[in-house]
Amino acid sequence: MFALGARRMEVVVHDDFTEHQWEDLMLKTALATCAIAISFGLTVPANAQDYPVDTITLITHSSPGGGSDVFLREMSSFLAPVIGANVVVENVRGGSGAKAMADLANAPADGSRFYATTPTFIYTSLLSQPEYTYEDVLPLVNFFTDPEVIYTAADSDYETLGEVIAAAKENLGRWGAANPASLERQALERLKRAADVNAAIVTHEGGGDMMINVLNGTLQIGVGEVQELKSQLEAGQIRLLATFSDRRLDQYPDVPTVEELGYGVTVRKFRGLAAPKGTPKEIIALWEAAAQKVLENPEYRAKYQGNNLRPEFIPHEEYVTFMNGFADETAVFLKEAGVID
Amino acid sequence: MFWTRDFVGGAGTALVGAIYYYYAIQMRVSALDDTVGPSGLPKAYGLILMALGLAIAVIALLRSLRQRSAGSALENEWTGQGIRFARAAGIVAIGVIYLLIVSYVGYAPGIALLLLATALYQGAARNWRSIAVAVGGAAALWCIFVLVLGVSMPRGLLFPG
Amino acid sequence: METILLSLQSLGDVTLILAAIVGVAWGIVGGAMPGISPSITMALLLPFTYTMSPAPAIVLLASTYVGAEYGGSIPAILIRTPGTNAAAATVIDGYEMNRQGKAGEALGISLYSGVLGSLFGLTMLILLSKPLAGVALSFTPPAYFALGILGLSVIATLSGENILKGFAAATLGLMIATIGTDPVTGGNRFTFGSSDLLTGIAPVMIMVGLFAMSELLVQAAGKSGGEKVTSRPRIAFPNFAMARRLAVPQAIGAGIGTFEGCMPGAGGTVASFMSYNEARRWSPNRSQFGKGAPEGIAAPETANNAVAETALVPLLSFGIPGSNSTAILLGGFLIHGIAPGPMLFQRSGDVVYGLYGGLLAAAIALLFVGMALLPVCIWMVNRPKPWLSAFIFALVMSGIYSIHNSLFDLSVLLIAGVVGFLMRILKFPFLPAVLGLVLGYLVESNFRRSLVLSGDDYSIFFTDKISFALLALAAVFIIGALGKRVFDFFLAPPNADKAGDVA
């Protein structure tokens, strides 16, 4: 409501502009107002001279209020003072990221527009072969990884992952993945193969849908991000059995990794940014510095650790290699499964 | 003469079912598939629609054969429909033209033209007042969608963002 | 009891009441615009809530949902176009009453039922949240499949004179629901390489195309289809006798709405169709349905407003959004750093009580805001026909665009309009298609999920008790409806001209 008020004021002040300038100004003002409002009205860009543009737009394929959207909005308020520009979030929905990739591929490479990447955009690129794919954008830097964990209902019989595997040796196992053709599904398919058991891998329409089926015992285990499970974990309704990350979680040191248990499956659900191709080196360097600085901010640290996000800064060069590796690995998996050519 | 609406409807339905079925059977099979598979239910839907369409058509056919004496019924069935189709097509054409031009002229001018064209087509008076209403209406819609709600409508070549 | 007291106490906060009133008003306006669904109405408001404190922000969004679910009935009655998916069932008797010059009464009944439905749903939400959450938890994939089939069993009622055409329309709806990402493999189906089709076709586009666009086309086509209906600008609330007559259909609507609201994925559209069907089944005035029966408005409108309240059960208890609208609401919570779920009451009890209080204010505000807005709506639809058509067209084209900022969606809308026009010419009913479209994904994904779970053993649908019960009920309904048609076909005395084209 306040943002609206502020916009109106601007309109009155600049009454004698042409329509073009007027419209343009309003949009900028609106964006700026939002950005400032989101950063609790406290932070005015400290060193606005350093960054080449005034307003950075982070686009996400997630809908307003969705996982990536909330994450970005939270991060943008801490990012703005560090990078020295306003940071706003825009939702470019549709096509599970296909629209957002097309948007970014056609955006100017001047550091004004970035796309918040999660494994989804690789999956969409490979599965749907849209006009613009992950190859048409440039991985910039990585900020976080979301640890993927295996969980079961608190009142289930299974205390360890080993028991679940043993049960699946006897009868058809019932394992849940939040989405079809997702990182979670891939992790479970690989675990199934590594353990050489037979399990039905049931896909859902999101983690919430799956949670119900774990809680009511339809599924023996589910795979999800810790931050999605926070509420049920705190209420003691579910129990963590293992994590797919490469080392144990700081918040849950008792939970073993899947690798420790003898099944060589690790997954990294990354959260970073991608830029249009041809983004200048100087801008990339600014982001590499800013990303590290943001992750060290104690106030932000408290927030993201509360959400069980694991800071994992990956500089640009390395991130490009990582992304290509991830895409190749996924492509191999999908090809072996016969989902794509 | 058996081209009653029911017969046409049934035949059309069967055709839609057949086309859909044709695409359903071409769907890719993968190792991630369940037994039913992505094409399982679509194939069933296609067959069901074909069967329903044929049933509707056959019943219509039988009925029209039985009622052959009342031949005038068929006359009424289609008389004057051509002009109705043509008039309806006009509205669709206005919509298609809007789709084609809106990226170039922008939302506000585009929607003003849509308002004016539709109103005139439906018999509004051809005078300055109509133009004023269309422009005013477009301004109101622009205020609601772009200004208040922040929807990024096409901005056009004249006023690019 | 304590919950109620705390909720009422929260109403001391004027900002909550203000948020409820603004939300309801905005919701009614958004819901009443064809092409703008409740979730879009809420999403458009979401950015404004970022800067507000949590409780008013959540109340604002939740009240918008309540307002929008009511608002959808206004164009359903006045211009034969449901403003929201859940108002589709209201078109049948609502528009018929309007045509008979009883628009004021129809609008009065829908408002009265909407307020009652909201109050009932809210009461259930506050008092029975725990047991209702238990019900939601007991539904396994086979049970959801059976629930979907039960919903589809309504087709027979919605089919009008030719049941085969009804089934064909429903199958068409099911087919449209298969477009997009496959629920099990994640592969693409019927997308033909278009990234616009990856996420499927939103029911709202088809709905608006079939109803609003085709109505525009029919009106353009000639006088015979689009008769001039002048709605008298006075809302008439039901008198005592009418209120008594509506009590049973409203009870049916409230019950079904409460139940469907708790089930993630089921939603208001199915609830309103099923309530319409049940209200018809149990009514002594059954023959009046489809010809302007007040019960035909009361039942679905009570149901969809009850859904708007009890849809909060899975959201608050598990943190699971059951629909697009509650997903936006979840976003509203998350933006403020509040995670709905089992710990919500301990952590942020004040926000929950504020939400309950705000929803109570919203239900009451619905009555007054509705009364204030209805004359405006009636004034608008009584404008000269050419301009009314032009503005509906412009509004629909703007609203559908704002879903994904996509021109592609507008072409889907136009195509759906042409299909709707042809369906009217060839006398196919729309409503089964809408029902098939809304339920298609639920039915298919849970059917296949069940079979994956059981290792392709079909007996899972009968060993699961809930699934068995619901399937048995659906079988009874279908056999009953078909049996009656067969009976009429052979044994009932032939009557010359049967009116009652449903859509």
Side-chain angles (χ1 to χ4, degrees):
Chain A
M1 291 279 119
F2 298 123
L4 187 65
R7 274 194 258 175
R8 290 248 166 84
M9 262 165 55
E10 291 294 337
V11 173
V12 175
V13 174
H14 301 279
D15 223 351
D16 51 349
F17 275 31
T18 66
E19 198 194 342
H20 171 209
Q21 285 169 312
W22 187 61
E23 205 178 314
D24 199 41
L25 180 84
M26 284 229 289
L27 197 75
K28 278 198 179 140
T29 322
L31 293 174
T33 321
C34 287
I36 292 170
I38 288 167
S39 48
F40 311 108
L42 299 173
T43 47
V44 178
N47 42 353
Q49 312 305 332
D50 296 20
Y51 201 79
V53 296
D54 294 338
T55 301
I56 299 167
T57 309
L58 305 181
I59 62 172
T60 169
H61 58 254
S62 150
S63 48
S68 291
D69 180 71
V70 174
F71 156 77
L72 275 184
R73 285 182 200 281
E74 207 166 78
M75 188 171 83
S76 64
S77 60
F78 294 96
L79 202 53
V82 174
I83 196 99
N86 296 309
V87 181
V88 297
V89 177
E90 193 180 311
N91 308 85
V92 181
R93 296 163 64 195
S96 309
K99 284 273 175 67
M101 280 186 276
D103 178 298
L104 192 74
N106 293 313
D110 58 358
S112 61
R113 216 167 166 82
F114 300 96
Y115 172 37
T117 52
T118 61
T120 307
F121 93 113
I122 302 278
Y123 277 93
T124 301
S125 296
L126 292 170
L127 280 171
S128 314
Q129 285 124 23
E131 197 179 345
Y132 295 96
T133 69
Y134 72 96
E135 288 169 326
D136 298 300
V137 300
L138 184 71
L140 184 68
V141 289
N142 194 54
F143 286 84
F144 293 102
T145 51
D146 280 359
E148 298 272 3
V149 291
I150 299 177
Y151 66 93
T152 186
D155 55 6
S156 86
D157 302 334
Y158 307 104
E159 295 288 340
T160 65
L161 182 62
E163 291 174 25
V164 175
I165 301 274
K169 281 216 159 82
E170 310 228 324
N171 287 309
L172 181 70
R174 302 185 308 273
W175 303 354
N179 294 295
S182 59
L183 191 60
E184 293 89 3
R185 171 128 198 225
Q186 191 178 342
L188 283 180
E189 294 281 354
R190 283 168 60 195
L191 176 64
K192 183 169 111 177
R193 219 177 299 166
D196 191 28
V197 293
N198 192 12
I201 296 174
V202 187
T203 54
H204 296 78
E205 293 132 62
D209 204 20
M210 175 174 66
M211 174 61 76
I212 288 205
N213 281 334
V214 173
L215 289 178
N216 67 22
T218 306
L219 296 172
Q220 293 161 333
I221 52 168
V223 175
E225 296 153 34
V226 192
Q227 51 162 344
E228 287 179 347
L229 314 174
K230 204 169 134 190
S231 197
Q232 271 79 14
L233 266 177
E234 282 170 3
Q237 292 181 344
I238 56 169
R239 178 163 62 229
L240 299 185
L241 297 182
T243 169
F244 275 115
S245 50
D246 50 357
R247 58 195 158 83
R248 292 192 177 204
L249 308 176
D250 298 337
Q251 280 80 14
Y252 305 96
D254 299 336
V255 177
T257 68
V258 173
E259 204 168 16
E260 278 173 45
L261 296 172
Y263 312 104
V265 184
T266 55
V267 297
R268 283 215 278 189
K269 180 158 191 175
F270 53 85
R271 277 187 192 279
L273 292 178
K277 286 218 154 164
T279 299
K281 285 213 167 60
E282 304 80 64
I283 291 179
I284 294 176
L286 282 174
W287 275 96
E288 286 184 328
Q292 283 165 294
K293 216 166 157 188
V294 157
L295 292 177
E296 281 160 15
N297 180 329
E299 200 188 332
Y300 187 39
R301 185 192 298 266
K303 278 206 165 179
Y304 67 68
Q305 281 185 342
N307 285 328
N308 287 298
L309 281 170
R310 177 182 279 185
E312 193 161 339
F313 170 72
I314 305 179
H316 171 64
E317 296 282 320
E318 205 180 308
Y319 198 40
V320 174
T321 323
F322 167 79
M323 198 65 84
N324 288 334
F326 182 88
D328 291 344
E329 198 178 295
T330 307
V332 168
F333 166 74
L334 292 173
K335 271 179 201 157
E336 276 178 8
V339 183
I340 56 170
D341 289 323
Chain B
M1 286 305 283
F2 45 77
W3 292 96
T4 58
R5 290 191 191 193
D6 280 2
F7 181 78
V8 172
T13 304
L15 184 67
V16 171
I19 295 172
Y20 181 88
Y21 183 77
Y22 171 77
Y23 284 108
I25 53 176
Q26 293 180 354
M27 234 176 270
R28 164 188 292 283
V29 178
S30 86
L32 293 185
D33 282 5
D34 46 326
T35 328
V36 176
S39 64
L41 288 187
K43 275 192 244 171
Y45 295 158
L47 290 175
I48 291 171
L49 198 63
M50 273 192 271
L52 285 170
L54 290 177
I56 294 168
V58 168
I59 290 173
L61 198 60
L62 291 177
R63 193 171 288 164
S64 69
L65 288 176
R66 207 166 42 188
Q67 295 177 341
R68 209 194 318 226
S69 53
S72 60
L74 187 63
E75 296 283 296
N76 296 336
E77 193 96 337
W78 293 107
T79 309
Q81 295 299 323
I83 188 78
R84 295 188 63 204
F85 274 60
R87 284 205 211 114
I91 292 283
V92 178
I94 292 174
V96 171
I97 292 169
Y98 171 79
L99 268 182
L100 293 176
I101 65 169
V102 71
S103 316
Y104 304 105
V105 301
Y107 172 68
I111 210 77
L113 289 174
L114 177 100
L115 279 171
L116 187 64
T118 312
L120 292 181
Y121 190 75
Q122 297 283 64
R126 286 159 204 268
N127 53 23
W128 286 102
R129 198 169 162 269
S130 292
I131 296 179
V133 175
V135 171
L141 286 168
W142 184 85
C143 283
I144 296 173
F145 282 96
V146 179
L147 195 59
V148 180
L149 301 179
V151 176
S152 54
M153 288 290 184
R155 312 191 69 190
L157 293 176
L158 291 175
F159 310 104
Chain C
M1 274 324 279
E2 202 196 331
T3 319
I4 299 176
L5 284 178
L6 285 169
S7 305
L8 286 176
Q9 242 167 34
S10 71
L11 284 179
D13 187 351
V14 186
T15 55
L16 285 185
I17 298 178
L18 206 63
I21 294 173
V22 171
V24 162
W26 170 241
I28 296 178
V29 173
M33 291 198 216
I36 305 190
S37 61
S39 59
I40 303 173
T41 314
M42 293 165 76
L44 292 170
L45 211 54
L46 195 57
F48 296 117
T49 65
Y50 295 157
T51 50
M52 299 169 65
S53 53
I58 305 296
V59 167
L60 181 68
L61 290 172
S63 314
T64 305
Y65 187 18
V66 173
E69 284 297 351
Y70 162 68
S73 70
I74 300 172
I77 291 168
L78 290 177
I79 56 172
R80 205 188 190 188
T81 298
T84 57
N85 295 357
T90 311
V91 169
I92 310 170
D93 283 289
Y95 186 70
E96 200 56 42
M97 280 187 80
N98 183 13
R99 200 146 75 170
Q100 294 162 10
K102 292 190 279 192
E105 277 134 303
L107 289 167
I109 290 167
S110 105
L111 182 55
Y112 165 67
S113 306
V115 173
L116 281 190
S118 297
L119 288 173
F120 182 82
L122 180 61
T123 314
M124 292 296 112
L125 172 67
I126 296 177
L127 297 180
L128 297 179
S129 214
K130 277 240 169 67
L132 287 174
V135 172
L137 201 55
S138 64
F139 267 62
T140 55
Y144 270 109
F145 166 74
L147 187 65
I149 294 294
L150 184 65
L152 284 176
S153 72
V154 178
I155 294 169
T157 307
L158 301 175
S159 295
E161 54 194 48
N162 189 335
I163 198 163
L164 288 178
K165 284 183 172 175
F167 283 140
T171 312
L172 186 70
L174 292 171
M175 285 176 165
I176 298 172
T178 61
I179 296 173
T181 307
D182 183 81
V184 172
T185 65
N188 300 330
R189 295 195 295 178
F190 303 107
T191 54
F192 304 105
S194 157
S195 59
D196 293 290
L197 286 173
L198 283 183
T199 39
I201 292 178
V204 62
M205 292 172 205
I206 301 295
M207 182 87 106
V208 170
L210 287 184
F211 284 99
M213 267 313 293
S214 81
E215 183 72 24
L216 288 175
L217 296 181
V218 167
Q219 284 181 7
K223 295 177 188 81
S224 56
E227 78 272 53
K228 171 97 180 156
V229 175
T230 308
S231 315
R232 272 178 301 141
R234 281 196 60 164
I235 320 152
F237 281 105
N239 57 22
F240 183 68
M242 179 60 84
R244 269 188 59 181
R245 183 174 158 191
L246 295 180
V248 172
Q250 282 169 334
I252 291 172
I256 294 179
T258 301
F259 170 72
E260 295 276 353
C262 301
M263 312 308 295
T269 315
V270 183
S272 54
F273 275 123
M274 285 188 67
S275 318
Y276 181 85
N277 197 37
E278 293 316 304
R280 180 173 175 274
R281 190 193 312 278
W282 301 105
S283 169
N285 311 319
R286 192 189 303 183
S287 59
Q288 287 304 306
F289 275 71
K291 296 173 193 157
E295 296 94 333
I297 300 173
E301 284 305 313
T302 314
N304 62 31
N305 270 85
V307 167
E309 308 281 343
T310 55
L312 296 176
V313 169
L315 181 67
L316 301 181
S317 319
F318 307 117
I320 293 169
S323 62
N324 292 339
S325 312
T326 42
I328 305 279
L329 200 54
L330 174 64
F333 275 103
L334 294 177
I335 290 284
H336 289 96
I338 302 168
M343 298 303 283
L344 180 65
F345 284 81
Q346 280 98 314
R347 284 282 160 76
S348 316
D350 53 329
V351 175
V352 181
Y353 299 128
L355 173 61
Y356 288 171
L359 281 172
L360 179 64
I364 296 162
L366 184 61
L367 185 63
F368 296 103
V369 179
M371 279 170 68
L373 287 178
L374 282 177
V376 183
C377 298
I378 295 178
W379 179 83
M380 282 200 272
V381 299
N382 283 336
R383 293 310 86 209
K385 208 87 195 181
W387 286 107
L388 180 62
S389 304
F391 273 94
I392 291 174
F393 197 13
L395 197 60
V396 162
M397 295 290 270
S398 309
I400 293 291
Y401 180 85
S402 54
I403 301 177
H404 294 128
N405 294 350
S406 159
L407 290 175
F408 177 85
D409 290 353
L410 294 184
S411 45
V412 171
L413 170 73
L414 289 178
I415 293 169
V418 173
V419 171
F421 180 71
L422 293 177
M423 283 172 77
R424 274 203 194 178
I425 297 276
L426 300 172
K427 295 180 184 158
F428 278 79
F430 294 158
L431 293 170
V434 170
L435 199 63
L437 176 61
V438 170
L439 284 170
Y441 194 84
L442 178 83
V443 168
E444 182 183 8
S445 60
N446 284 296
F447 176 67
R448 289 168 58 190
R449 207 170 280 160
S450 306
L451 290 178
V452 170
L453 268 172
S454 69
D456 297 317
D457 183 354
Y458 281 82
S459 68
I460 187 170
F461 298 110
F462 304 103
T463 49
D464 184 287
K465 285 190 194 101
I466 297 173
S467 164
F468 179 74
L470 292 177
L471 283 177
L473 199 59
V476 169
F477 287 176
I478 294 169
I479 292 168
L482 288 180
K484 189 177 175 308
R485 299 238 175 188
V486 173
F487 177 84
D488 288 351
F489 185 76
F490 287 109
L491 300 173
N495 52 0
D497 187 46
K498 260 198 278 184
D501 199 351
V502 174

